[in-house]
Amino acid sequence: MNARLALLGTVAPGVTESEVFRLALQHAVSELDALGGTMHLRGPMSALRLVSAVGLPPALTRPWEIVDQEGPLAPARALQQGSGVWVPRRSDDPGGAADPGRATAEVPWPGTGLASLPVFSGKRSVGALTVLAGERGEPEPEHWDFLRAVVDWTEDRMSQAPPPSGPGQPEPSAEHLRQALKEVQVGSWDWDVRSGDLIWDEAALELYGTLPADFTGKIENWMRIVHPDDLAPTLAAAQRAILGHTVYEAEYRVRRLDGTYGWTQARGRATYDEQGEPLRMVGVGWESNESRTARDALGRALRHMSDGFLAVDDAWRITFANLEAERLLGLSEEELFGRLLWDLPSVREAPDLEHRCREAAASEKPAGFDVDMPDSGRRFHLRLVPGPDGRTLYFTDVTEKRRLAKERRTAERAAAERAVRIAELTTELAKASTSKDVVSAVARRVLPPFAATGLLVQVIEDERLHYVGAVGYPDDFLERINYRIRTPGDPAWDVIASGAPLFLASPQELIARAPQLTGLPQRAGKQAWAFLPLTASGRTFGVCVVAFDRPRLLTDEERALLTTISALVAQSLERARLYDAEHTRSRELQSSLLPQELPVLPACTAAARYLPAGQGADVGGDWYDIIPLSGGQVALVVGDVMGHGLPEAATMGRLRTAVHTLADLELPPDEIMGHLNDIVGGMGEASYATCLYALYDSTTRVCSIARAGHPPPALVHPDGTVHFPKTDADPPLGAAEPPFETVELEVPEGSLLVLYTDGLVESARRDIDEGMAELARMLSTAHKGGAVSTEADLERLCDTLTAGLLPTEQQAADDAAFLVARLHSLPLDRMASWPLPDEPIAAGRARRHVREQLAVWDLGDLAPTTELLVSELVGNVVRHARGPVRLRLLYGAELICEVFDGSQTMPRIRRAAETDEGGRGLQLITALSERWGARYTPTGKCIWTEQQLVCPNGADGPDGLGDRSPEALESMFLDAADLDEGP
């Protein structure tokens, strides 16, 4: 190797490039024991031109005379990669078409492969040196080093070679062209077409290598000096020009006086008689200075190139067509030559081709566009390049290229859409709170990109598979597979056991794996499945089944993507199930803390609603209550513990219990609020609640209202007007400073009182004032639209308010509670009241008043028991309290007996011994009444009893006392007769 490199080093600088290439190829082929080699240099229009070849016959090198720089051949690859490449000959391509040049079917390409290295001029690649390897195969590393050294030598000598002549020179300037034209000898000729006479001037005689003595003045003189290979086409060109009335142009070789051949060009035009018959053709000729070797190489390359190539003149008449253009257009070169491009049948079939070509040519710039051929269904890319004497058109069949590009774009678009959906799925799963949210997110984001039609998510519960969500399955199918036990061969259970996904492309695969599932695909309407394990924290707890309504063989990419998705789904579903469990417990706790049903009271008819916040929100602390009190009174309560969660729900339960306890003490509203404020304040700094407490007295139709940080109630008058009491709301419980303000309202008979939490009237889209105005409008409309007196009417009103203020399509951020009560007053004829003296005779008068009033109310059966109760109550007041004393009877759903006095000392039951003379009065009251109690009044206290108007089931008498007679019970009084002033 070193010897060869040393020998090359002795070559003096300044030799021609062709000699440099020849020497480089000879030594490279000899050293590698190769079959031959080629040298290509960059040419115009992204082509590599063969400039030198060693050891290879023309039949092999002809297809390589022009090589596409962007193509797959070895020289092009070397330039693309900028380094040496080895392209082995494929065994399945005996013709060499795989890469080594598409030799020809008649001359198979020999050797084992091609080794090619790029040639540089400075930093720019200018060509490639290629060696056709023999039996040695791919060069060893030392051979590659030798080839690189040869290329380095070639690059060095090329930089020192003399400048090329002929067509390779730069285009001369305008002044240079004018000078050259002066130096060129142009001969003129005149040919009589009819007679064959030929006239040459002196310049023509010299140009065509003919002595004046040898010139006979006949056309035969010209035919003898034309090269035999050029005679026929030159004559054909003249014939076409004469018949077509066009300019005759030709270039051909002529024999000079020294016997060599030189290239000349000729140009002429024929004249015609009146009948259009040709008379003469007159023209000129001159010597051609271009290198015919390069022109022949280019012509052969164009003739045999794989793309269709046409050359047309300014009138769009065809002047050249290569073999591929002949095949595409369905005509030979002789048939195409001189024809108008637009007259060809195949061109006319291409829609709008002429218009697009003319439009592109008008710009005088190279242009390209795709053309669809209807007859063949193929697509070609047409590139139109304008020139000085016409235009060239290149046709490249891009049908397969465009199809692959479309498929690639479709695949890329599908992949991009899939990636977007996965990102969207990840975002939605991050937001999903419940199992239902997770299933919905997967159905929306996973099924469409995979063209799936079914989704089934199952988890293990008590060693059975229970579905937590499904899309695309009939209900009867879901009922059939729900709580399915573990069976051998069941795909779902097998996936859970193995923790690996399972893909079944058809019903046959499913039945072959699990014969017991025969008939199940028809019930589900599915024909392919992807069973994906749901694994979280190292434990497989379920399976996600993606199904298709047609057989589907998923690609490896799709399977990997679904497996990745299943991991995301598993994590989200595990989190959602924990949330579901906690949320269910929270809902159950909250539900247990709210009233299970509202009491039926004569003072009011009521209906209520509790509405939890939207999907994903935790339980809240809103509550409502109706508490029956004594003396025809009723307490209406609504409250809201700030925040969401189990602690808030528990706080709500504590406050509701506290309200009940305080209400049973029959404290006034402001005192109840004060006690609640102390309770909430003792729970910690983070605990706050709002509350509204309304105490309605049906005997006076007065409603006393106290509120802490809560919206005011809505009072709907009988005429339908809605009024919100204007009161200053105290701060929320836990932050307020007692005392609390109490507002008293006189409520007309039949009015509605609506208590609510802020979640009903306030939202992100609506402030509280707008919500209260909308509530007022809806209450007024409902009141005017019909009766709202019965419980059923109030239930419908609650539904109307819910639909209008909290529509189902809007996710509420806060829970809401509201209570609608129609307030009733006790008629005056059902009330009776008498003052009593503060002395022993008061008991007798009280009994007389009772007998008389009960007779008026037709309640004589209750008279004996009521007299005993009144005697005991009045007797205790006279003995232990002070005046003034007053007796009141209320006839409502039950008979209420009330005794008022001026003392605030509350009675309490004592356990009297058998020898005690007193202490049994309250025990007697407990035995005779349904219930009894005492409450404070502004001037003292009131002790009251309630009696049922209808005997309870199983009672023996009208008053439920069994065998006891009034006389027997009366003996229990301590000196009761002494307290009576008369019979």
Side-chain angles (χ1 to χ4, degrees), residues 438-461:
V438 173
V439 174
S440 298
V442 175
R444 285 193 304 271
R445 302 302 181 187
V446 176
L447 298 189
F450 289 93
T453 58
L455 176 68
L456 178 64
V457 179
Q458 297 176 288
V459 297
I460 302 175
E461 290 186 5

Side-chain angles (χ1 to χ4, degrees), residues 141 155 167 322 510 532 571 580 584 670 711 755 963 976:
E155 293 170 352
N322 70 352
L510 176 66
L532 310 170
Q571 296 292 336
D580 287 342
T584 299
D670 58 332
L755 284 65
D963 295 336

Side-chain angles (χ1 to χ4, degrees), residues 379-390:
R379 171 172 287 191
F380 294 87
H381 181 74
L382 185 148
R383 179 169 175 80
L384 188 147
V385 180
D389 297 321

Side-chain angles (χ1 to χ4, degrees), residues 315-316 340-344 347-348 353-355 357-358 393:
W316 297 93
L340 189 64
L341 180 62
W342 318 123
D343 291 342
L344 301 179
V347 174
R348 287 198 302 267
L353 177 58
E354 179 179 358
H355 172 73
C357 286
R358 291 185 181 276
L393 294 89

Side-chain angles (χ1 to χ4, degrees), residues 88 197 220 244 263 314 328 347 392 555 656 695 711 734 922 931:
D197 292 339
E220 286 76 8
W263 285 94
D314 290 334
L328 294 175
V347 174
T392 56
T555 64
R656 180 168 175 258
L695 177 62
L922 294 181
R931 67 188 186 115

Side-chain angles (χ1 to χ4, degrees), residues 768-839:
I768 191 168
D769 292 334
E770 293 176 349
M772 292 172 61
E774 180 65 15
L775 172 63
R777 186 193 64 79
M778 295 182 67
L779 289 172
S780 179
T781 301
H783 192 279
K784 295 176 181 178
V788 285
S789 55
T790 66
E791 183 178 352
D793 295 335
L794 297 180
E795 291 289 345
R796 284 192 293 271
L797 177 58
C798 288
D799 293 338
T800 301
L801 296 178
T802 301
L805 296 172
L806 299 172
T808 55
E809 63 272 12
Q810 295 181 8
Q811 290 283 334
D814 193 10
D815 49 351
F818 64 95
L819 175 66
V820 180
R822 183 177 180 85
L823 303 179
H824 308 293
S825 62
L826 190 63
L828 294 176
D829 59 357
R830 293 294 187 96
M831 295 183 290
S833 178
W834 305 272
L836 296 175
D838 185 13
E839 54 188 52

Side-chain angles (χ1 to χ4, degrees), residues 526-837:
K526 310 301 178 188
Q527 299 189 48
W529 301 264
F531 292 85
L532 310 170
L534 297 176
T535 304
S537 302
R539 181 179 65 89
T540 302
F541 61 89
V543 61
C544 175
V545 184
V546 178
F548 307 85
D549 58 4
R550 57 182 176 82
R552 173 77 184 276
L553 181 62
L554 295 171
T555 64
D556 293 340
E557 179 187 357
E558 290 174 325
R559 295 185 178 193
L561 189 56
L562 284 174
T563 303
T564 303
I565 289 173
S566 68
L568 296 175
V569 174
Q571 296 292 336
S572 299
L573 190 61
E574 181 74 357
R575 184 182 67 252
R577 293 178 68 208
L578 295 175
Y579 174 84
D580 287 342
E582 180 180 355
H583 196 65
T584 299
R585 290 192 295 269
S586 301
R587 293 289 189 207
E588 291 175 351
L589 172 62
Q590 187 180 48
S591 178
S592 67
L593 295 176
L594 289 172
Q596 301 304 305
E597 60 181 12
L598 296 178
V600 179
L601 302 174
C604 69
T605 304
R609 291 287 188 276
Y610 171 76
L611 303 166
Q615 189 71 27
D618 210 339
V619 294
D622 291 22
W623 90 93
Y624 60 86
D625 214 340
I626 295 181
I627 306 172
L629 301 176
S630 65
Q633 298 182 109
V634 61
L636 308 173
V637 190
V638 67
D640 181 5
V641 178
M642 297 182 183
H644 293 84
L646 282 176
E648 285 72 17
T651 299
M652 177 267 286
R654 295 170 62 185
L655 289 181
R656 180 168 175 258
T657 301
V659 170
H660 263 272
T661 302
L662 295 171
D664 285 341
L665 296 176
E666 305 215 39
L667 300 176
D670 58 332
E671 292 188 26
I672 290 179
M673 284 296 182
H675 289 297
L676 291 177
N677 186 65
D678 294 338
I679 293 173
V680 175
M683 294 180 180
E685 295 181 358
S687 297
Y688 297 99
T690 65
C691 184
L692 188 149
Y693 186 94
L695 177 62
Y696 174 67
D697 189 342
S698 62
T699 64
T700 61
R701 292 189 287 107
V702 172
C703 184
S704 302
I705 301 172
R707 60 192 182 105
H710 206 84
L715 181 62
V716 184
H717 292 274
D719 61 358
T721 59
V722 180
H723 171 63
F724 293 96
K726 299 296 183 182
T727 60
D728 294 333
D730 289 293
L733 299 175
E737 291 290 338
F740 289 86
E741 180 186 3
T742 300
V743 176
E744 292 188 349
L745 304 175
E746 185 174 349
V747 180
E749 169 63 27
S751 298
L752 290 179
L753 189 64
V754 181
L755 284 65
Y756 53 90
T757 61
D758 59 355
L760 181 69
V761 294
E762 187 178 27
S763 67
R765 302 181 181 181
R766 179 180 60 204
D767 61 34
I768 191 168
D769 292 334
E770 293 176 349
M772 292 172 61
E774 180 65 15
L775 172 63
R777 186 193 64 79
M778 295 182 67
L779 289 172
S780 179
T781 301
H783 192 279
K784 295 176 181 178
V788 285
S789 55
T790 66
E791 183 178 352
D793 295 335
L794 297 180
E795 291 289 345
R796 284 192 293 271
L797 177 58
C798 288
D799 293 338
T800 301
L801 296 178
T802 301
L805 296 172
L806 299 172
T808 55
E809 63 272 12
Q810 295 181 8
Q811 290 283 334
D814 193 10
D815 49 351
F818 64 95
L819 175 66
V820 180
R822 183 177 180 85
L823 303 179
H824 308 293
S825 62
L826 190 63
L828 294 176
D829 59 357
R830 293 294 187 96
M831 295 183 290
S833 178
W834 305 272
L836 296 175

